[in-house]
Amino acid sequence: MGNAHLTRRALLGGTTAVALGAITGTTTGTAQAAPAKGPSGLSGLSGPSVPSVPSLWREFTGHPFTHPQIPFVGRAGHHGGARRFPRRPVVADVRDFGAVANGTTDSAPAINRAVAAAGRAGGGTVTIPPGTFRIDDVIRVGHSNVVLRGAGSGRTTLLATKNLTELIGVYGSRYGGDKSSWSWAGGLIWLAPEARWDSLVAAIRAKSWPFEGWTGNRRDEWRTLTTLAPARQGSWTVTVQDPSALRPGALVLLRLADDAGHTLLEHMSGGGPGPEAYTWDDKTKLTSYVPYEWPVRITRVRGRQATLERPLPLDLRPEWDPRLTTHVKELTGSGVEGLTLQAVETPQQPHLLDKGHNGVVLQCAYDCWADDVTVRHVDNGFGLVAASACTLRHTRVAGRGVHHPYFCREGSHDNLIDDFTIEARTTPAPAGTQLHGINVEGLSSHNVWSRGDMRMGTFDSHRGLPFANVRTDITVHNDGRHGGDASAGPLFGARFTHWNIRVTNGRAGMIRLDGLAPHSATVGLNEVTEFDQIDVPDFPGDLHSRLELYGTTDAVRPRNLHDAQRALLR
């Protein structure tokens, strides 16, 4: 982007009214009256809506990269939120490698041979024609620029007969206990760099439960490229001590360590008296997530100045030893499209004892995607595990009921989940099972869930101090429960935003944020009340959290916060 962002930002101050008119569909910047309640009693869910521009949006357009309550997510997703995915030339048809669409022949070896051949060829599209293909193994996309494409989610089905416990083995938790890590990890379609997948599987089979992120099973597979000078959150350019190892287009890892006073964690929480009074030392699971690791591409190097693809998510302070480092080789430019993954229908397992009838997972992936993909009868639907700048679009979770329909963890950042559906379960929930929803945890930041139809579940945080995430333009039947144990620390860090949310059953839990999340915003939410699981804020004192246009939905302009932020950078 070079310095283009500076020009755009400078223009914002003089053209705010024009921008508002373009984005909101209004001709003036004057806020309108809130809409009346519809017959259902849920404001904005029926009846007329009068467009209203909240003061928070006006503030945001003045300083979009440093707003205290709303994060900048206008570059979230594959290639900065690009609407189209690459159309790579077809290099293989799975039938040529032995796949048979009869629903009884195991076609997993053939599909994996076709995908591997595409990888050896340097990339390309592997097609799966209409029909039902049985798979008795994991389908692995381990090379960059490889796309696995069916004929459409309503035409191509992969019928998965086994779970990850059968295929790989028992996967215990690195934090102890009898939990199954297949309850939050791994997929029957698994996009991850080949070497990283091999090392994970080897560790699981050796019962040496691994970290799953960008720097290896023991978090030690990295070396320093350069240290960094202090900088402020929202900056697009950093000053480096040594630029010799940096190249435009290269993916690097920004690494921030915490200090003895846990001032980095306090900063992620918005700072001030509340986070300063919080007890951090006994939150052992949370502190195991630090250092914070943020993958980002370098777009330009000029002298000691390096320009980044996205603005800094946090300050760079000397006490956090800021540096750019290497990481395990990423998977990039790969995707899965146009198919349904259907597991053999089995009863949902008790909470945290999932066998691993899991859907699609992107791991150590950057600029990858899933498009027009449905998963059915799974334990866990779509996963982002140490994945960044990826897009899930036109995805759907359906069938007998699910533990995590969507999970985002292990330091996953800048992802976009757009136009997604969680269907109501087709069978009653067995006793002892749990339903979450759209999960985010483990210091994951700047992720967006947009245009969602959630017929069950909730806006789930599993603690672990996720921060600066956005949920926007979503309808939810809010009947799930969040997870996370006490050692994982706070439910929310700073700058969570829920914008234009329609709750069909009036439950507030995890959606109305002004009493829960520090330095956060709830805008355009119909009236809700607490019941069942009621949470208290993790931090004492003033949360500096904002509530605006409460009692309305679909009246707020802009309707979709991610779309509007993208428009500011055009």
Side-chain angles (χ1 to χ4, degrees), residues 244-264:
S244 62
L246 305 181
R247 298 288 183 273
L251 186 70
V252 297
L253 205 63
L254 171 66
R255 183 179 178 88
L256 297 177
D258 203 5
D259 59 9
H262 300 296
T263 59
L264 176 62

Side-chain angles (χ1 to χ4, degrees), residues 2-46:
N3 286 327
H5 61 278
L6 298 176
T7 302
R8 293 184 181 109
R9 186 177 180 186
L11 287 172
L12 282 174
T15 60
T16 298
V18 175
L20 285 170
I23 294 168
T24 67
T26 62
T27 56
T28 73
T30 304
Q32 304 292 324
K37 289 185 180 180
S40 67
L42 296 178
S43 300
L45 294 185
S46 60

Side-chain angles (χ1 to χ4, degrees), residues 393-410:
R393 182 168 293 150
H394 309 308
T395 56
R396 179 178 295 264
V397 180
R400 51 91 157 147
V402 61
H403 180 194
H404 294 98
Y406 291 82
F407 56 96
C408 179
R409 52 178 295 271
E410 205 83 3

Side-chain angles (χ1 to χ4, degrees), residues 31-35 43-44 50-58 498-501 512 521-527 546-559:
Q32 304 292 324
S43 300
V50 180
S52 299
V53 179
S55 58
L56 272 163
W57 175 250
R58 301 174 193 284
H498 291 171
W499 186 285
N500 192 24
I501 306 299
R512 180 172 170 173
T522 307
V523 181
L525 170 68
N526 57 273
E527 292 182 14
R546 305 269 295 272
L547 177 68
E548 196 165 353
L549 293 182
Y550 179 59
T552 72
T553 57
D554 294 323
V556 58
R557 295 295 184 271
R559 281 180 55 105

Side-chain angles (χ1 to χ4, degrees), residues 291-521:
Y292 174 80
E293 297 167 337
W294 182 63
V296 66
R297 289 198 193 280
I298 302 289
T299 62
R300 188 176 67 181
V301 180
R302 181 170 294 176
R304 292 179 57 208
Q305 303 299 305
T307 302
L308 308 177
E309 186 176 28
R310 293 174 175 82
L312 286 176
L314 296 164
D315 290 351
L316 307 184
R317 300 181 188 174
E319 56 265 38
W320 302 332
D321 190 23
R323 58 186 60 217
L324 300 179
T325 75
T326 62
H327 48 84
V328 297
K329 181 64 177 175
E330 72 273 12
L331 182 75
T332 188
S334 294
V336 56
E337 304 174 349
L339 57 83
T340 289
L341 173 68
Q342 178 170 314
V344 172
E345 187 170 1
T346 57
Q348 186 178 347
Q349 294 296 300
H351 190 219
L352 300 178
L353 297 178
D354 294 344
K355 299 293 186 182
H357 295 95
N358 294 349
V360 179
V361 163
L362 283 66
Q363 185 162 6
C364 295
Y366 195 95
D367 278 334
C368 293
W369 68 92
D371 184 31
D372 182 27
V373 176
T374 294
V375 297
R376 182 173 287 114
H377 301 324
V378 293
D379 294 333
N380 301 282
F382 292 88
L384 297 161
V385 181
S388 293
C390 294
T391 296
L392 307 180
R393 182 168 293 150
H394 309 308
T395 56
R396 179 178 295 264
V397 180
R400 51 91 157 147
V402 61
H403 180 194
H404 294 98
Y406 291 82
F407 56 96
C408 179
R409 52 178 295 271
E410 205 83 3
S412 290
H413 313 290
D414 304 299
N415 298 292
L416 172 63
I417 300 91
D418 187 40
D419 191 8
F420 66 96
T421 300
I422 302 173
E423 294 186 1
R425 63 186 307 138
T426 55
T427 60
T433 61
Q434 190 62 272
L435 164 66
H436 297 307
I438 50 175
N439 156 264
V440 61
E441 59 182 285
L443 303 185
S444 297
S445 66
H446 296 85
N447 302 288
V448 181
W449 292 261
S450 166
R451 279 182 282 270
D453 178 8
M454 296 176 58
R455 302 168 198 173
M456 65 177 187
T458 193
F459 289 5
D460 172 41
S461 165
H462 268 37
R463 301 191 176 273
L465 199 66
F467 67 95
N469 296 286
V470 168
R471 285 95 168 222
T472 182
D473 195 9
I474 297 171
T475 300
V476 53
H477 185 79
N478 188 20
D479 62 355
R481 299 173 68 89
H482 76 75
D485 58 48
S487 67
L491 280 167
F492 303 101
R495 301 191 309 283
F496 257 80
T497 300
H498 291 171
W499 186 285
N500 192 24
I501 306 299
R502 302 165 290 273
V503 181
T504 61
N505 61 339
R507 175 182 169 180
M510 301 299 290
I511 294 180
R512 180 172 170 173
L513 294 176
D514 55 303
L516 285 176
H519 296 272
S520 293

